[in-house]
């Protein structure tokens, strides 16, 4: 077995290790803190895929931050977006006048992020920025701003660190690429 594979599931190739992710998330947290200075942001996580990134990013940001979550659906059980985005669960907090950092695990087609940004803009936010661990520009169908990105990647389907394939692999501490099994 090669070093870039996990013994838990040989069909996953490690793209970013837990150590690489921790280092990059720390850098993003410091960048956000520099940009916001002393303002108190609210980190809005998109469930479920951004949960680990959002929490780690909040811990890495040396500011007083609030957390909230919302949930949208565009994938169902598949690995490609259906193109239809719907709000499953809305925020609990009032974001009017707040500096919002939308946390997403991966920005691919841009459809979900565009939907959420439009939804949040109607709430009278003071500012709205997007932070993502992975930016999949080759998959973009709708252009959306990505203000803070861990890495730009290609069109490969990624799992781990909160991201899933049919609700599997979210708990992997790294980000991996699903590969076709040769068995």
């Amino acid at each position: 077995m090669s070093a870039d594979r996990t013994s838990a599931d040989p069909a996953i190739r490690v793209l970013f290790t837990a150590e690489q992710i921790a280092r990059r998330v720390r850098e993003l947290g410091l960048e956000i803190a520099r940009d916001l200075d002393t303002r108190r942001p609210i980190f809005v996580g998109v469930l479920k895929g951004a949960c680990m990134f959002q929490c780690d990013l909040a811990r890495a940001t040396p500011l007083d931050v609030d957390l909230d979550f919302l949930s949208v659906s565009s994938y169902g059980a598949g690995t490609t977006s259906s193109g239809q985005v719907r709000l499953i669960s809305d925020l609990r907090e009032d974001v009017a006048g707040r500096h919002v950092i939308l946390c997403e695990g991966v920005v691919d087609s841009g459809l979900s992020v565009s939907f959420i940004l439009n939804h949040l803009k109607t709430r009278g936010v003071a500012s709205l920025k997007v932070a993502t661990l992975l930016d999949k520009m080759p998959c973009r169908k709708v252009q959306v701003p990505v203000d803070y990105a861990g890495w730009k990647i290609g069109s490969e389907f990624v799992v781990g660190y909160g991201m899933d394939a049919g609700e599997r692999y979210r708990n992997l501490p790294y980000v991996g690429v699903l590969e076709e099994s040769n068995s």
Side-chain angles (χ1 to χ4, degrees):
M1 182 176 297
S2 68
D4 66 341
R5 295 204 183 263
T6 172
S7 60
D9 192 333
I12 298 175
R13 177 178 48 88
V14 176
L15 190 59
F16 300 107
T17 66
E19 294 78 17
Q20 289 172 306
I21 293 168
R23 186 172 37 255
R24 186 64 183 122
V25 170
R26 275 192 304 275
E27 293 168 357
L28 292 173
L30 293 174
E31 187 178 340
I32 289 169
R34 277 191 303 273
D35 290 351
L36 290 176
D37 194 24
T38 59
R39 292 173 285 196
R40 182 176 163 201
I42 182 167
F43 284 25
V44 172
V46 182
L47 294 174
K48 302 177 193 170
C51 63
M52 292 182 189
F53 174 62
Q54 177 195 17
C55 291
D56 286 349
L57 186 61
R59 285 193 297 256
T61 304
L63 296 172
D64 186 14
V65 303
D66 291 331
L67 301 178
D68 204 348
F69 306 88
L70 54 71
S71 179
V72 296
S73 176
S74 69
Y75 275 84
T79 59
T80 58
S81 175
S82 68
Q84 300 295 315
V85 181
R86 60 189 180 97
L87 185 66
I88 304 297
S89 177
D90 206 348
L91 299 174
R92 296 180 65 165
E93 299 290 323
D94 180 9
V95 292
R98 299 292 308 271
H99 298 280
V100 176
I101 305 291
L102 177 64
C103 300
E104 181 64 284
V106 59
V107 176
D108 49 19
S109 72
L111 294 170
S112 293
V113 170
S114 177
F115 176 89
I116 295 166
L117 290 176
N118 289 332
H119 179 69
L120 293 174
K121 286 175 185 173
T122 67
R123 305 272 179 96
V125 299
S127 67
L128 185 55
K129 303 284 185 179
V130 176
T132 186
L133 184 66
L134 304 172
D135 186 358
K136 290 173 70 170
M137 276 298 294
C139 298
R140 220 50 119 245
K141 293 180 182 175
V142 175
Q143 291 308 310
V144 293
V146 174
D147 303 284
Y148 307 100
W151 292 279
K152 293 182 185 316
I153 63 170
S155 59
E156 55 266 33
F157 190 81
V158 292
V159 296
Y161 195 65
M163 294 164 281
D164 75 305
E167 295 299 325
R168 293 186 64 203
Y169 310 115
R170 286 191 196 278
N171 63 322
L172 296 175
Y174 56 84
V175 172
V177 177
L178 282 179
E179 294 185 328
E180 294 296 320
S181 176
N182 294 331
S183 13

